[in-house]
Amino acid sequence: MGSLSAMLKHPDDFYPLLKLKMAMKYAEKQIPPQPHWGFCYTMLHKVSRSFALVIQQLGTELRDAVCIFYLVLRALDTVEDDTSIPTDIKVPILISFHRHLYDREWHFSCGTKDYKVLMDQFHHVQTAFAELGKGFQEAIEEITKRMGAGMAKFICKEVETVDDYDEYCHYVAGLVGLGLSKLFHASQLEDLLPDYLSNSMGLFLQKTNIIRDYLEDINEIPKCRMFWPREIWGKYVNKLEELKYEENSVKAVQCLNDMVTNSLIHVEDCLKYMSALRDPAIFRFCAIPQIMAIGTLAMCYNNIEVFRGVVKMRRGLTAKVIDRTRTMSDVYGAFFDFSCMLQSKVDKNDPNATKTLNRLEAIQKTCRESGYLSKGKSYLVRSEPEYKSVVVGLLFLLISVLLAYLSVNRQRI
């Protein structure tokens, strides 16, 4: 659960954090008894605890399909990510990966830690895939085929232009959005939404991850991974890795802000997509990651720490997002709040300040015109009276002292 110092600073985080911890414990206990399904859900918790949490609220049939879809694409991504695999071996595997969904004898050992376990025991995923409905299988196979081909293309191609960047993000994330839309439709819970909206949902999340993960990707061993487009970073430095050097701090932040501004172009499509969803569980499943993305961009913008370490939302704020996201009112409120936070960080001397401000104002206009803003709680400004937060903080301190006291006494006994 969040650190003591963070909760003392934000005492109103305590209750959402407690609820999140309980929800995660509950999700971990919902592992199916069948060996193959047990492996799939256990692996899901290991490779993405946050995704494993939001997936739990889906109905059983759709939840199983989304779980397998995620693990299949995670396995495909593991092949792409493993920089130790020679290109002449990697490319054919990516292109043919979709065919192996039906071949339980096939596996390819690569990756590290939990990802290696996933690859070594991929037959469990294949067994579970075989039990899905025909509509789910066809959607997963089609997207896996298209994604593998796209990944293979960019193994041999650098991300030079912004168009290349959008194309790469389409293959690795936009197609995930299209696939999820197909699964939602196959479950008969949603209409099939336009591809361009589904694509934007994926691109917004992927671009946020690429921005946040700059340092991890550039330091990848044995070979760095570079996804920022030269058309953007080339305006600031000669080589992408130069952004991490302290002497380039000013240029690095300007480049970062340029990247964040580029990602904001997808927000209005994302809001349109989410407003069209009808099923409450599917809505929360889609909305929570999108709010996390705009929150992460607000934290990253104008922040040199992106080039020094890991920048992310504090755990208590994440817990609030998960706890409070129920309706489009909450979504519009969150996007408005985080866009205002980002707006407050814009330096008028930044080369892209005007473009950034224009995009933020367009997002805020969309949120205001929805008519929902006054109905949602703010994520950044306390909506509860101050005394309640103080009481929560005091209660947390009291509980901490009590637990410490009981622990000491137990040791003495």
Side-chain angles (χ1 to χ4, degrees), residues 219-237:
N219 289 335
E220 182 79 25
I221 296 173
K223 182 183 177 184
C224 69
R225 302 162 66 221
M226 298 188 288
F227 303 115
W228 291 32
R230 184 188 294 270
E231 185 179 338
I232 291 179
W233 62 258
K235 292 184 282 185
Y236 306 95
V237 288

Side-chain angles (χ1 to χ4, degrees), residues 315-369:
R315 193 161 176 77
L317 190 51
T318 298
K320 278 184 182 177
V321 170
I322 293 171
D323 184 46
R324 293 180 178 179
T325 304
R326 306 284 171 185
T327 66
M328 270 309 293
S329 172
D330 302 319
V331 171
Y332 283 124
F335 271 81
F336 186 85
D337 282 349
F338 286 121
S339 65
C340 287
M341 176 183 173
L342 204 159
Q343 187 178 45
S344 71
K345 297 170 72 176
V346 176
D347 181 346
K348 296 293 171 62
N349 295 316
D350 185 271
N352 293 282
T354 302
K355 187 190 293 186
T356 307
L357 291 170
N358 286 342
R359 288 191 180 166
L360 290 170
E361 285 163 9
I363 293 167
Q364 291 163 7
K365 182 172 182 284
T366 298
C367 294
R368 276 193 299 267
E369 290 180 351

Side-chain angles (χ1 to χ4, degrees), residues 89-322:
I89 294 175
K90 180 183 288 190
V91 169
I93 291 173
L94 292 172
I95 291 172
S96 63
F97 198 92
H98 65 285
R99 298 196 196 102
H100 301 308
L101 296 177
Y102 300 95
D103 179 8
R104 297 181 210 180
E105 300 299 315
W106 179 91
H107 87 280
F108 180 75
S109 186
C110 64
T112 60
K113 300 178 182 177
D114 291 326
Y115 301 101
K116 186 176 187 308
V117 175
L118 173 62
M119 297 304 296
D120 287 344
Q121 300 188 47
F122 195 66
H123 62 278
H124 288 304
V125 179
Q126 293 158 317
T127 300
F129 173 80
E131 295 180 4
L132 298 177
K134 186 82 171 162
F136 292 137
Q137 288 181 346
E138 289 173 350
I140 293 171
E141 181 186 3
E142 179 200 342
I143 296 301
T144 304
K145 179 180 180 180
R146 292 169 66 183
M147 186 179 291
M151 286 177 168
K153 178 178 179 178
F154 276 89
I155 293 296
C156 310
K157 174 182 169 69
E158 294 290 331
V159 179
E160 295 283 347
T161 67
V162 171
D163 284 344
D164 290 340
Y165 183 44
D166 285 344
E167 185 182 10
Y168 173 76
C169 290
H170 164 73
Y171 286 131
V172 300
L175 286 173
V176 178
L178 268 67
L180 286 171
S181 293
K182 290 176 183 291
L183 295 180
F184 299 157
H185 184 245
S187 72
Q188 301 184 327
L189 294 171
E190 298 287 354
D191 294 329
L192 187 59
L193 294 175
D195 283 357
Y196 79 94
L197 295 181
S198 302
N199 188 58
S200 285
M201 289 283 283
L203 262 63
F204 187 57
L205 297 182
Q206 183 65 20
K207 289 185 176 184
T208 299
N209 291 340
I210 286 173
I211 291 167
R212 182 198 62 199
D213 295 341
Y214 165 85
L215 194 62
E216 179 185 337
D217 290 339
I218 210 73
N219 289 335
E220 182 79 25
I221 296 173
K223 182 183 177 184
C224 69
R225 302 162 66 221
M226 298 188 288
F227 303 115
W228 291 32
R230 184 188 294 270
E231 185 179 338
I232 291 179
W233 62 258
K235 292 184 282 185
Y236 306 95
V237 288
N238 294 320
K239 295 180 179 179
L240 182 56
E241 58 265 31
E242 291 175 359
L243 294 173
K244 69 180 180 180
Y245 302 139
E246 196 167 340
E247 62 267 25
N248 296 323
S249 293
V250 173
K251 292 292 186 182
V253 168
Q254 290 175 346
C255 183
L256 167 65
N257 295 345
D258 203 342
M259 290 288 290
V260 171
T261 301
N262 169 272
S263 68
L264 294 175
I265 200 168
H266 304 292
V267 168
E268 289 169 85
D269 279 352
C270 293
L271 292 172
K272 285 179 188 175
Y273 182 98
M274 290 183 281
S275 67
L277 296 172
R278 299 175 306 188
D279 183 82
I282 291 175
F283 171 79
R284 272 176 50 79
F285 171 80
C286 293
I288 290 170
Q290 296 293 328
I291 294 175
M292 296 290 294
I294 187 69
T296 299
L297 290 178
M299 303 294 169
C300 289
Y301 186 85
N302 216 37
N303 189 349
I304 190 61
E305 289 305 311
V306 170
F307 304 98
R308 306 286 182 264
V310 180
V311 175
K312 59 183 179 180
M313 290 168 57
R314 73 176 190 275
R315 193 161 176 77
L317 190 51
T318 298
K320 278 184 182 177
V321 170
I322 293 171

